[in-house]
Amino acid sequence: MGERKGQNLYYPPDYDPKVGGLNKFMGTHALRERARKLHMGILIIRFEMPYNIWCEGCNNHIGMGVRYNAEKTKIGMYYSTPVYQFRMKCHLCDNHFEIKTDPGNLDYVIVSGARRQENRWDPTENGQIVPETKETQKRLFDDAMFRLEHKTGDMDSSKLEKPRLGRLVGRNESVWKDDYEANCSLRRNFRKRRKELEASAVNDNLLLARSSLDIKLLPESEDDRNMAALLSLRPSRSIEESQSETRTKILNTPALPSSSGLLTSFGGLKKEESLSKSISLSRNVLGITIKKAKKEDTDRDKDVPLKSVTPKEISCGTNDCNKETSVLGNDKPKISLVGDYSSSENSE
């Protein structure tokens, strides 16, 4: 619309039609700001992104169809076709990227500042119509036999695909016969799906806040539900079993360090205490017999050391235990016992 800027506008009194148009008289260009760099060979145009790209400045995605004010420059020729280059600034950062035309391949090429998003697949796998390559087109033009074979193959393919195309056309007519109702149905489904996504996002945020996590949760699947149902948070042992095991561990754990090899745990002390109360230490229980010794034996045994009796031998409580007799005098023998038991004096 820049060429119509000079129409139906105010003409000053000193306007001379011999000079030319109003733009020439005012010293302005018809394109106004778009031509501010025209002396440098640069024209400002409105450029539309031909495909999806990734900006290398901010690593953000820029979708196909986004429009920019681009600087258009002619950089060369492909035979008789000019090659143009477009420079534009990203709307999310200060990065500039450049794209040029590729007439040889009928495509656009990124020069700098961005990279193309690659989403390629075989169009023949989903039933798309594939355009002929240049080699095929050349053979169709030059080789009559190849053209006939190609035409026959196309007719066979059309016969095979005709039923499927009929079903698609019928479905399209039934669905889109009422445009208003079809549009309402689509919008209804979109609103329902959006509400489900919002509710899921709220539940995920609550779960992450409760768990103090900063990760992205994946959507729940049927396998996850089955696995969660199989898992149980019940303890492997009951409270009574845990308490009983704890008591047993406390009773069998030594309370004080011992170097004599005696039982020093709570359980051992209780067993030893009950044993000392149930068995009275006497000569009959210990199985000790006192023999009369002669004077010569008494003089001979004065320097003989006494043999100790361990608590194990004392606690057996039978007459078959090891017996030791020491004669210290004519009428007063003395017995020495090693352990928690004191020595006893027995007189005949």
Side-chain angles (χ1 to χ4, degrees), residues 200-201 203-208 213-220:
S200 178
N203 295 333
D204 292 345
N205 293 333
L206 292 177
L207 180 60
L208 293 175
L213 297 175
D214 188 12
I215 58 177
K216 182 179 180 181
L217 298 180
L218 297 176
E220 184 180 359

Side-chain angles (χ1 to χ4, degrees), residues 16 41 91 98 143 286 307:
D16 186 6
H91 66 286
E98 298 179 356
D143 192 348
L286 298 176
K307 186 176 181 181

Side-chain angles (χ1 to χ4, degrees), residues 27-293:
T28 59
H29 196 277
L31 300 179
R32 296 298 188 273
E33 289 298 324
R34 292 175 55 191
R36 65 179 183 272
K37 296 183 179 181
L38 197 59
H39 64 283
M40 302 170 56
I42 299 175
L43 179 65
I44 308 300
I45 66 167
R46 195 68 172 167
F47 182 81
E48 183 175 340
M49 196 62 60
Y51 41 70
N52 298 329
I53 66 171
W54 296 95
C55 178
E56 293 184 350
C58 56
N59 292 326
N60 285 317
H61 176 265
I62 301 175
M64 181 178 60
V66 179
R67 296 180 179 181
Y68 292 94
N69 292 332
E71 299 178 356
K72 177 181 176 183
T73 308
K74 182 179 178 181
I75 60 172
M77 296 289 293
Y78 177 77
Y79 295 102
S80 60
T81 304
V83 178
Y84 294 103
Q85 181 168 308
F86 308 92
R87 185 176 186 269
M88 62 209 80
K89 177 182 175 297
C90 178
H91 66 286
L92 300 173
C93 64
D94 296 332
N95 180 50
H96 288 77
F97 42 84
E98 298 179 356
I99 300 177
K100 71 176 183 179
T101 59
D102 186 8
N105 297 319
L106 304 178
D107 199 0
Y108 289 86
V109 179
I110 298 176
V111 178
S112 63
R115 65 182 185 275
R116 184 172 182 173
Q117 182 181 5
E118 297 292 342
N119 291 324
R120 299 183 180 179
W121 61 88
D122 188 2
T124 58
E125 294 180 356
N126 52 7
Q128 292 185 5
I129 298 176
V130 182
E132 303 292 347
T133 60
K134 293 184 178 180
E135 291 77 9
T136 305
Q137 293 178 358
K138 187 176 180 180
R139 290 191 63 185
L140 288 174
F141 183 78
D142 297 337
D143 192 348
M145 186 60 67
F146 179 78
R147 183 168 59 252
L148 180 60
E149 293 175 354
H150 192 275
K151 183 178 180 180
T152 305
D154 292 341
M155 293 177 63
D156 295 339
S157 300
S158 63
K159 291 180 181 179
L160 294 175
E161 297 295 334
K162 189 175 182 179
R164 187 173 68 90
L165 293 176
R167 290 193 300 268
L168 292 176
V169 171
R171 181 179 180 275
N172 189 22
E173 292 178 353
S174 62
V175 172
W176 293 102
K177 185 176 181 180
D178 189 352
D179 297 342
Y180 177 77
E181 185 62 28
N183 190 14
C184 291
S185 178
L186 288 176
R187 294 172 66 87
R188 193 182 306 113
N189 294 333
F190 289 155
R191 284 194 296 269
K192 181 180 178 181
R193 179 57 179 168
R194 186 180 69 251
K195 291 180 180 179
E196 293 177 356
L197 293 177
E198 292 176 356
S200 178
V202 171
N203 295 333
D204 292 345
N205 293 333
L206 292 177
L207 180 60
L208 293 175
R210 186 165 60 251
S211 304
S212 299
L213 297 175
D214 188 12
I215 58 177
K216 182 179 180 181
L217 298 180
L218 297 176
E220 184 180 359
S221 62
E222 189 65 27
D223 295 338
D224 297 337
R225 298 189 189 96
N226 297 335
M227 184 61 66
L230 294 176
L231 295 178
S232 177
L233 299 179
R234 299 176 181 175
S236 58
R237 292 173 296 179
S238 62
I239 299 177
E240 292 77 8
E241 294 175 353
S242 301
Q243 291 179 352
S244 177
E245 183 179 354
T246 304
R247 293 193 189 99
T248 304
K249 185 177 180 181
I250 293 174
L251 292 175
N252 296 331
T253 302
L256 297 173
S258 175
S259 60
S260 60
L262 299 177
L263 295 174
T264 57
S265 63
F266 291 106
L269 293 176
K270 288 185 177 181
K271 292 178 182 178
E272 189 174 353
E273 184 179 357
S274 61
L275 183 61
S276 62
K277 290 181 180 179
S278 61
I279 301 176
S280 60
L281 299 178
S282 61
R283 289 184 303 174
N284 296 330
V285 173
L286 298 176
I288 300 174
T289 57
I290 306 301
K291 295 181 180 181
K292 293 290 184 177

